[in-house]
Amino acid sequence: MNSQLPLIIECRSNDSDYRQENPHCPYTPKEIIQEAVRAWEAGAAIFHWHGRDPIDGKWINDVNVYLEVIQGIREQTDLIINPTLNYVTKESNVSDRIQHILAANNDPALGVDMIPLEFGSFNLDFWNPQTKQFDSYDQVHTSSRAYIKEVLEILQVNNIFVVTICWNTGQIRTAKCFQEMGLLPKNTFWEFVFTGEITPSGILPTLPNLQAVVDSIPKDDQWLVMCWNGDVMPLAAWAITMGGHVGIGLGDYPYLRFGKPHNGDLVDKVANMAHTLGREVATPAQAREILKMQPRTVVKEKLQVVAN
């Protein structure tokens, strides 16, 4: 892996609801778009988000919400757009989960650039270190191999870039099986999910564990680290020096040790860390090239409005 490649930073804006801890976790389309612009200006190349109810922040699968966000991001940035597939706590009908993706791709001015797909199921019950109990005991994110196969077939037909999400090495092995089937392209972007104390289902964020997952994929493949419900900064430092990439945002952790930051503030900290460690930060266009994605035409007049 070439550690001199520009660093791709993904902003992960609102996956979990940390609004009570940090009011800058975005709910409404306007807030999500504003956070996307802030992240882009700070150095993010990829933007990931979930549709949320503007009042209570619950996950919603409203196609119009997604289209509004995509339009706003397209008008003001050249970010690589990476929305969720929705419904993280259960396996719902595939057509329901992917309808916003297909709706966006039906409009040439909108579209999505990549889609994240988990390659296995996992328990979502949160651990409470104070009570020494789980907050629940039956929350499971179901991602069966039949479901994975169906989604990959749809993404393949629609020529949508797949981000391979893995919570453990077994899911990496599963993804490789789908590559051998010809459903998951060899050219994928591996995103490794490490988790903090309250989510023991994931990979503990240590250097040996990072090395283990990196050793599980071909040496020239591109990979990224994130830390769900935990601080990604130590992993970020290792990933930057090892040639990987970094995902960070208020959707993963509130980062209260930095006050009450916006997503852009967090992206800026990773970008500054990269510069300190001697690595440049990738623009969206450079990230597309690194990931061997198709280039996208940017409306320069609209970008100039933001720059001014």
Side-chain angles (χ1 to χ4, degrees):
M1 180 65 65
N2 186 355
S3 61
Q4 297 307 308
L5 276 177
L7 174 74
I8 298 171
I9 303 176
E10 177 185 63
C11 176
R12 301 175 45 76
S13 65
N14 68 350
D15 296 53
S16 296
D17 185 6
Y18 280 111
R19 186 86 165 224
Q20 290 185 345
E21 292 93 335
N22 188 332
H24 296 139
C25 181
Y27 282 178
T28 70
K30 181 179 178 180
E31 291 170 345
I32 296 170
I33 294 165
Q34 288 174 336
E35 289 298 282
V37 173
R38 287 189 177 99
W40 175 66
E41 292 174 336
I46 302 172
F47 187 76
H48 173 72
W49 84 100
H50 289 238
R52 287 193 174 277
D53 184 285
I55 304 301
D56 60 19
K58 291 181 179 179
W59 284 306
I60 57 173
N61 189 16
D62 186 323
V63 171
N64 290 328
V65 166
Y66 280 95
L67 296 184
E68 182 179 350
V69 172
I70 292 171
Q71 181 176 355
I73 295 174
R74 291 289 190 217
E75 288 177 348
Q76 300 184 59
T77 80
D78 64 340
L79 280 163
I80 296 172
I81 291 180
N82 180 27
T84 185
L85 278 176
N86 287 310
Y87 296 122
V88 300
T89 58
K90 64 181 180 180
E91 182 177 25
S92 56
N93 185 280
V94 171
S95 62
D96 290 339
R97 293 193 65 177
I98 207 163
Q99 61 180 336
H100 61 297
I101 307 301
L102 300 183
N105 276 16
N106 284 334
D107 186 339
L110 300 180
V112 300
D113 299 303
M114 53 173 54
I115 289 298
L117 179 61
E118 283 104 353
F119 277 78
S121 304
F122 50 91
N123 296 324
L124 275 174
D125 308 293
F126 292 158
W127 172 251
N128 188 321
Q130 282 73 45
T131 64
K132 309 301 182 186
Q133 295 285 331
F134 286 100
D135 291 341
S136 61
Y137 285 84
D138 59 357
Q139 298 299 304
V140 179
H141 172 67
T142 304
S143 188
S144 68
R145 285 165 182 164
Y147 163 75
I148 295 168
K149 181 175 182 290
E150 186 175 355
V151 172
L152 285 175
E153 288 171 343
I154 295 172
L155 297 180
Q156 188 176 69
V157 167
N158 288 275
N159 195 30
I160 299 174
F161 188 93
V162 182
V163 182
T164 300
I165 309 295
C166 296
W167 292 64
N168 54 51
T169 53
Q171 292 184 8
I172 296 173
R173 295 173 65 188
T174 297
K176 287 182 175 180
C177 292
F178 279 98
Q179 286 181 323
E180 292 184 25
M181 293 167 62
L183 287 176
L184 175 64
K186 296 291 185 180
N187 178 39
T188 188
F189 189 24
W190 300 90
E191 294 202 356
F192 302 133
V193 186
F194 295 79
T195 57
E197 183 181 16
I198 69 171
T199 317
S201 299
I203 309 169
L204 195 66
T206 66
L207 181 56
N209 285 346
L210 173 58
Q211 191 65 60
V213 293
V214 172
D215 288 344
S216 298
I217 64 173
K219 65 181 181 66
D220 292 326
D221 283 10
Q222 301 299 323
W223 53 272
L224 173 147
V225 296
M226 67 185 77
C227 192
W228 197 47
N229 295 316
D231 192 331
V232 79
M233 288 301 182
L235 284 167
W238 296 325
I240 290 168
T241 56
M242 292 169 63
H245 307 282
V246 177
I248 191 170
L250 297 179
D252 290 338
Y253 197 60
Y255 289 96
L256 298 182
R257 68 187 178 97
F258 301 129
K260 294 182 179 179
H262 284 276
N263 280 288
D265 298 324
L266 299 176
V267 170
D268 184 63
K269 290 184 182 300
V270 173
N272 286 335
M273 184 189 299
H275 292 142
T276 298
L277 294 171
R279 193 167 168 197
E280 295 302 312
V281 174
T283 65
Q286 289 174 317
R288 288 179 183 276
E289 185 176 350
I290 292 168
L291 297 177
K292 300 177 183 177
M293 300 174 64
Q294 292 295 319
R296 182 177 179 87
T297 302
V298 179
V299 182
K300 295 183 179 178
E301 291 80 5
K302 293 178 180 177
L303 293 182
Q304 288 172 352
V305 172
V306 177
N308 296 333

